């Protein structure tokens, strides 16, 4: 293991992850749908937002600590749910959850994870984590999945609303994405250049979707999994299902995938505890605005609807400065997906920890340069007028 103190930014981790992770899994994580315009806008739109530097301000006693749905967090960042995480690095979800636990931020496990709910609970000492739910046609499976999350001591349920149907990701089709990789000549040649990844996979039994195989009816092995997943995402998902899931779960509920003010108002009325302004990392509707561009309007709609729900955002966060800008524009919390996966793919658990350290340090230092010592006092006054997206006129 090299001296990770020389890794100074998320881009450093991305470069190493691209070198170490098989192409089909790196491309799965680091791509968007169709032209990838929304995927690129998620990061690019942060760059145009400028900060106001302040001087002669006492910078001692700084704190990035805050809360997300009542949970104390070391900074306003949680690890987002990402599918196939255990294919970026062997046992990836377990390693990510351990790093998050040690750092003091929430970890979210995806329905489409490689390590199961029970795996993560067992290997983190049943430390509370969050679980992300996709709604499937098989409602009995969904009910059992919710019950398994309760039994594993999950402290919040994150319901993804923007994947009723799959956006097309060209790279996944061209790479023939599968779990585990199909032994084609192209894949075997690529795997031969990834010895560290291959050794890790040889040392684990976790190589398929742990929450599904052996739990969903008719899915006992990989051959039956592919057809099941293709048929199961439910295009009929609606706000009535949200109400049903909220009652079944009974705990903290987070709604992921809100990009429109009207949907934000419906989210407020649903009684959920938080919503996430998210375009699924640019992987669903290409041509949608970036998450940071949509954030002010969503925050405004929530205020107008009477609040009662926390506003978070994900998409494009690659630094602590991005976290600070999101906070200034109305996000109580943020989530990181690719920034976490780059660290994981590069160096496993140590890489995730390094990614979190990089983001927190940049958040802390930038906050101080903007004249604040406590993340909870940050607002849009730290931003240069005319450089950031603003709310729409009231309806």
């Amino acid at each position: 293991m090299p001296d990770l103190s020389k890794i100074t930014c998320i881009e450093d981790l991305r470069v190493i992850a691209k070198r170490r992770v098989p192409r089909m899994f790196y491309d799965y994580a680091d791509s968007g749908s169709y032209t990838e315009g929304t995927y690129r806008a998620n990061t690019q739109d942060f760059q145009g937002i400028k900060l106001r530097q302040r001087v002669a301000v006492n910078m001692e006693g700084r704190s990035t600590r805050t809360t997300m749905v009542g949970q104390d967090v070391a900074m306003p960042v949680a690890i987002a749910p990402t599918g196939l995480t255990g294919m970026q690095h062997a046992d990836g979800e377990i390693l990510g959850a351990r790093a998050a636990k040690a750092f003091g931020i929430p970890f979210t496990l995806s329905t489409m994870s490689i390590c199961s709910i029970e795996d993560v609970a067992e290997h983190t000492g049943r430390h509370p984590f969050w679980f992300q739910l996709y709604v499937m046609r098989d409602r009995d499976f969904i009910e059992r999945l919710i019950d398994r999350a309760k039994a594993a001591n999950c402290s919040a349920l994150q319901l993804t609303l923007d994947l009723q149907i799959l956006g097309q990701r060209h790279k996944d089709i061209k790479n023939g994405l599968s779990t585990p990789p199909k032994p084609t000549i192209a894949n075997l040649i690529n795997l031969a250049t990834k010895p560290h990844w291959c050794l890790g996979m040889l040392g684990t039994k976790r190589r398929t979707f742990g929450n599904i195989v052996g739990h969903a009816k008719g899915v006992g092995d990989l051959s039956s999994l592919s057809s099941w997943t293709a048929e199961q995402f439910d295009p009929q998902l609606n706000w009535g299902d949200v109400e049903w899931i909220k009652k079944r779960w009974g705990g903290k509920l987070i709604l992921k995938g809100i990009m429109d003010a009207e949907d934000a108002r419906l989210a407020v009325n649903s009684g959920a505890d938080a919503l996430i302004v998210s375009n699924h990392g640019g992987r669903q509707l290409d041509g949608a605005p970036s998450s940071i561009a949509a954030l002010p309007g969503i925050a405004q709609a929530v205020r107008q609807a009477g609040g009662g729900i926390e506003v978070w955002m994900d998409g494009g966060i690659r630094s602590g400065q991005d976290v600070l800008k999101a906070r200034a524009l109305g996000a109580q919390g943020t989530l990181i997906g690719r920034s976490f996966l780059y660290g994981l793919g590069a160096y496993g658990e140590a890489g995730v920890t390094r990614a979190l350290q990089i983001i927190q340090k940049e958040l802390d230092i930038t906050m101080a340069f903007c004249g604040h010592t406590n993340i909870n006092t940050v607002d849009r006054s730290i931003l240069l007028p005319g450089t950031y997206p603003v709310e729409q006129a009231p309806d």
Side-chain angles (χ1 to χ4, degrees):
M1 180 67 67
D3 178 6
L4 296 192
S5 67
K6 305 300 181 185
I7 303 292
T8 58
C9 60
I10 298 299
E11 176 63 11
D12 288 348
L13 293 169
R14 187 197 67 78
V15 170
I16 297 165
K18 186 174 184 179
R19 189 168 67 238
R20 303 189 80 173
V21 177
R23 181 177 56 245
M24 70 166 56
F25 297 122
Y26 175 83
D27 282 353
Y28 170 77
D30 199 23
S31 64
S33 62
Y34 293 107
T35 70
E36 299 191 337
T38 297
Y39 160 66
R40 291 190 298 273
N42 274 349
T43 53
Q44 291 171 353
D45 286 359
F46 271 108
Q47 305 311 308
I49 302 171
K50 302 304 178 185
L51 300 162
R52 292 177 61 205
Q53 180 174 338
R54 304 299 302 277
V55 297
V57 176
N58 186 345
M59 295 181 179
E60 290 185 323
R62 298 187 304 277
S63 174
T64 61
R65 300 198 67 84
T66 188
T67 62
M68 296 175 70
V69 289
Q71 180 175 334
D72 290 331
V73 293
M75 58 178 171
V77 174
I79 290 180
T82 54
L84 299 180
T85 298
M87 286 292 151
Q88 301 293 321
H89 189 288
D91 301 334
E93 291 90 357
I94 291 171
L95 302 183
R98 283 178 174 171
K101 174 186 176 182
F103 204 88
I105 67 165
F107 173 84
T108 317
L109 183 71
S110 170
T111 291
M112 308 305 291
S113 61
I114 302 301
C115 303
S116 69
I117 300 170
E118 293 79 10
D119 275 337
V120 174
E122 177 185 350
H123 288 86
T124 55
R126 294 184 56 79
H127 180 76
F129 61 96
W130 298 345
F131 181 68
Q132 175 270 335
L133 182 71
Y134 282 125
V135 178
M136 308 293 189
R137 295 179 189 267
D138 184 347
R139 291 299 200 261
D140 180 63
F141 170 69
I142 293 301
E143 288 184 349
R144 286 184 282 113
L145 202 54
I146 291 172
D147 292 345
R148 288 168 60 197
K150 288 182 185 178
N153 200 32
C154 292
S155 56
L157 188 71
Q158 205 172 111
L159 175 59
T160 295
L161 298 175
D162 63 353
L163 205 131
Q164 294 164 266
I165 57 176
L166 276 171
Q168 179 167 306
R169 301 144 197 176
H170 297 334
K171 290 176 184 175
D172 291 349
I173 295 172
K174 291 173 179 174
N175 287 332
L177 180 71
S178 65
T179 305
K182 292 186 178 73
T184 64
I185 292 175
N187 287 341
L188 291 173
I189 291 172
N190 185 246
L191 288 173
T193 67
K194 318 293 180 184
H196 183 270
W197 184 93
C198 292
L199 285 172
M201 284 299 166
L202 287 172
T204 182
K205 60 184 180 181
R206 303 175 184 92
R207 303 189 193 102
T208 187
F209 294 109
N211 291 324
I212 299 173
V213 173
H215 295 281
K217 292 176 183 176
V219 184
D221 55 34
L222 285 173
S223 62
S224 53
L225 175 64
S226 178
S227 60
W228 185 88
T229 53
E231 298 167 356
Q232 278 296 320
F233 288 108
D234 191 350
Q236 300 182 53
L237 171 65
N238 58 68
W239 289 98
D241 294 318
V242 175
E243 182 179 357
W244 164 69
I245 289 167
K246 178 176 170 58
K247 289 179 180 177
R248 178 78 186 194
W249 169 244
K252 300 286 187 182
L253 180 65
I254 302 156
L255 303 180
K256 185 173 184 289
I258 304 297
M259 287 291 292
D260 183 86
E262 180 58 30
D263 287 336
R265 287 187 279 269
L266 291 168
V268 172
N269 294 336
S270 76
D273 299 279
L275 66 81
I276 305 173
V277 179
S278 172
N279 53 37
H280 214 98
R283 295 163 62 77
Q284 286 294 90
L285 176 60
D286 190 36
S290 67
S291 294
I292 194 63
L295 173 61
I298 301 296
Q300 178 191 45
V302 168
R303 290 193 303 270
Q304 291 174 344
I309 189 171
E310 290 185 13
V311 176
W312 305 346
M313 68 81 63
D314 76 5
I317 292 175
R318 301 290 185 270
S319 69
Q321 288 201 345
D322 294 340
V323 174
L324 190 70
K325 291 171 182 178
R327 183 81 183 201
L329 289 175
Q332 170 75 14
T334 64
L335 291 91
I336 56 169
R338 293 184 178 98
S339 291
F340 144 69
L341 291 177
Y342 297 150
L344 180 68
Y347 295 115
E349 184 175 346
V352 177
T353 298
R354 187 60 188 148
L356 298 178
Q357 290 171 341
I358 288 168
I359 289 172
Q360 185 181 41
K361 183 176 181 180
E362 190 167 346
L363 171 62
D364 173 67
I365 291 174
T366 305
M367 179 178 69
F369 281 141
C370 291
H372 288 257
T373 57
N374 190 310
I375 192 66
N376 296 302
T377 68
V378 169
D379 57 24
R380 70 178 55 192
S381 66
I382 71 165
L383 305 177
L384 189 66
T387 69
Y388 57 85
V390 295
E391 303 93 337
Q392 301 298 314
D395 295 339

